[in-house]
Amino acid sequence: MLLYLFIWEHFISRIIEYSFHKVTHQTAIVMVVLLVIMLAIGVSISVAVGLSSALAMLCMLDANISFATSAQRLFAGANSFSLIAIPFFILAGNIMNNGGIAERIVNVAKVVAGRMPGALAQSNVVANMLFGAISGSGAAAAAAMGGTIGPMEKKEGYDPVYSAGVNIASAPTGMLIPPSNLMIVYSTIAGSVSVAALFTGGYVPGILWGLLVMFLAGVKAKKCGYVAERRIPAKMTGIITFMIGLSSIMSWVMAFTGLPDLIANGMLSITENRYVILILMNIILLIVGTFMDPTPVVLIFTPIFLPICQTFGMHPVQFGIMVTLNLCIGTITPPVGSILFTGAKVGNVKIEQVFQELLPYFGVILIVLLLTTYIPAISMTLPTAAGLIQ
C-alpha cells in the first residue's frame, strides 16, 4: 500500500512538473513573439521589452508578485557602478567634437599614414580609430572625421563615394578599441565580467579591422591614382540606463521560463558541433544587428547565447568581443545602420552608392569576425598578459 502511494505521488509530481515547464516555455515563446510584433509595428524598443516581459510575468505569477519582482529587477538592472562611465564617455565625445580636437587628431593621423597611397583616406582610418577610441562612439567618429577630412579629400580630387566608404568602414573600430559603451553594457548584463578585460580584449580585433580597411583603401587608391602626401604636418545616457533596467526584467523572465535552455536544446538538436553553432549565432546577431541598435541586442541576446557558449568553454570576454564585432558590422549595414547613414550624410553621397563601395570591406571585416570567433588568442592574449583574466 505504501509503495502504491509513493508511486502515485511521484507520478502526480512529475505531471505537475511537466505541466509547469510546458507552461513556462509557452510563456517564454509568447514573450518573444510579442516582442517581435511590437518591434515590427514600430513600438519603442524600451516599451516593447518592458511590456512583453511584464505580460509574460503576469501569465505565470500573481499580479502583486509580478509587479514587485519587476520593480526590483528594474532597480537592480540600473543600479550598476559600471554604467556611470557611459555618460562621461558621451560627454567627453561631445566636448571633443565641438572643441576642435578633431582637427588635431587628423594632423596626428596624417603623420602616421601620410606616406601611404591615398594618404587622406588612410589618415581617415587612423583618425577614426583614434577618435572612436577616445569617445567610444563610431557614429561620432564618422561625423567628426568625415566632416573634417571629407572637404580635404574633395579638394584633392578623391571620389566622394570612395571617401565616404573608407570613412564608414573604419568608423566602427572605435566601438572595439576602448573605451566602448557597448562593452560596458555587456559587462553589466553578463555579470562578473571585467570591463578592463573586455576593453583590453578589444584592441587586437579593432586594430586588425582598421589595418585591413587601410590595406583595401590603399589598393584602390593605387588604382585611382591617389598619391601620398608630399608634406607631412608637424602639428544620451538616461535612455541606456532605463533600457538596461527593463532588460533585467526580461532576463529574469528568460531564466525563470528556461528560454536559454530551450534555445540551447533547439540548437543542439540541429547540431552539436560547436563551430556550426557559433556560425549560427553569428548569423543571427548579424541579421538582428541590421535592424536593431546594438544596445538592445546585447540586452536581449546575451542571456540567451552566453550560457550556450560557456558550455563549449568559450570565455565571456571572448564572447563579448564576438558580439561587439557583430553589432559593429550592423552599424554599417542597411536598413538602420547608424554609422552608414551618418557617413553617407556627411559625405553627401547616396546610400546605394556607398553600400556598393563597402562590399569589399565587408569581406575583410567578416574575416576579422571569424578569426575572433574561432581563435581565442586574438581577444584573450592581452587581457591574460595584463593579469585581468586568471
Side-chain angles (χ1 to χ4, degrees):
M1 183 66 179
L2 290 175
L3 180 61
Y4 172 77
L5 289 174
F6 174 78
I7 294 174
W8 177 254
E9 181 183 0
H10 180 71
F11 177 70
I12 295 297
S13 65
R14 291 303 299 269
I15 291 177
I16 293 173
E17 182 182 355
Y18 172 78
S19 300
F20 174 77
H21 285 300
K22 185 175 181 180
V23 170
T24 53
H25 287 165
Q26 289 175 345
T27 304
I29 294 170
V30 168
M31 180 185 69
V32 173
V33 171
L34 282 174
L35 176 63
V36 171
I37 291 173
M38 284 189 281
L39 291 175
I41 63 177
V43 176
S44 169
I45 293 174
S46 56
V47 174
V49 170
L51 191 58
S52 60
S53 302
L55 290 174
M57 291 185 73
L58 286 171
C59 292
M60 298 182 298
L61 304 172
D62 180 74
N64 292 332
I65 298 176
S66 297
F67 292 136
T69 305
S70 296
Q72 182 186 44
R73 297 311 308 166
L74 181 63
F75 176 78
N79 185 29
S80 172
F81 180 76
S82 300
L83 296 179
I84 297 175
I86 294 179
F88 290 107
F89 287 151
I90 293 174
L91 175 62
N94 289 334
I95 291 173
M96 288 185 292
N97 206 10
N98 294 285
I101 197 172
E103 295 182 8
R104 293 176 174 84
I105 290 178
V106 169
N107 288 334
V108 172
K110 289 173 75 174
V111 170
V112 175
R115 294 296 185 185
M116 300 178 183
L120 289 175
Q122 304 282 13
S123 300
N124 193 346
V125 178
V126 175
N128 272 337
M129 294 168 69
L130 293 173
F131 190 89
I134 297 172
S135 68
S137 170
M145 297 302 105
T148 303
I149 299 182
M152 300 180 190
E153 291 176 309
K154 186 176 181 180
K155 185 178 179 180
E156 292 292 328
Y158 284 54
D159 180 6
V161 176
Y162 166 77
S163 302
V166 173
N167 184 38
I168 293 167
S170 59
T173 55
M175 298 169 65
L176 283 165
I177 302 173
S180 170
N181 296 339
L182 198 60
M183 290 183 187
I184 296 173
V185 174
Y186 168 78
S187 171
T188 304
I189 299 302
S192 67
V193 179
S194 168
V195 176
L198 286 167
F199 279 5
T200 310
Y203 274 113
V204 173
I207 293 172
L208 185 59
W209 179 324
L211 291 176
L212 289 176
V213 170
M214 291 178 72
F215 172 76
L216 282 184
V219 170
K220 182 156 187 180
K222 280 188 174 182
K223 290 182 180 179
C224 297
Y226 302 143
V227 298
E229 287 270 288
R230 296 185 180 88
R231 181 179 60 87
I232 301 177
K235 18 179 201 177
M236 357 261 252
T237 308
I239 296 175
I240 295 175
T241 305
F242 180 61
M243 287 183 61
I244 291 173
L246 290 173
S247 73
S248 181
I249 302 174
M250 177 170 280
S251 299
W252 186 92
V253 174
M254 287 178 178
F256 188 82
T257 58
L259 182 60
D261 292 334
L262 190 64
I263 294 176
N265 292 334
M267 284 188 167
L268 292 173
S269 68
I270 299 173
T271 177
E272 293 187 0
N273 188 311
R274 60 170 301 199
Y275 300 104
V276 176
I277 289 178
L278 288 173
I279 282 289
L280 290 175
M281 288 184 181
N282 280 322
I283 291 172
I284 291 171
L285 290 170
L286 285 171
I287 293 173
V288 174
T290 62
F291 62 87
M292 286 180 68
D293 289 330
T295 300
V297 176
V298 170
L299 300 178
I300 293 170
F301 285 92
T302 296
I304 297 175
F305 286 165
L306 180 57
I308 301 174
C309 289
Q310 287 179 310
T311 62
F312 296 140
M314 177 181 274
H315 196 280
V317 169
Q318 184 188 359
F319 175 75
I321 302 300
M322 183 189 84
V323 171
T324 304
L325 257 169
N326 276 286
L327 300 181
C328 284
I329 296 172
T331 62
I332 59 174
T333 309
V336 293
S338 57
I339 295 177
L340 174 64
F341 283 91
T342 301
K345 184 176 181 181
V346 170
N348 292 316
V349 296
K350 294 181 179 179
I351 298 293
E352 299 81 10
Q353 293 175 309
V354 76
F355 186 71
Q356 291 180 351
E357 184 72 24
L358 285 171
L359 292 178
Y361 296 105
F362 280 121
V364 297
I365 292 168
L366 289 174
I367 291 174
V368 177
L369 174 61
L370 291 174
L371 291 174
T372 304
T373 300
Y374 293 117
I375 304 177
I378 290 180
S379 57
M380 299 293 291
T381 299
L382 288 181
T384 304
L388 299 171
I389 296 174
Q390 300 301 325

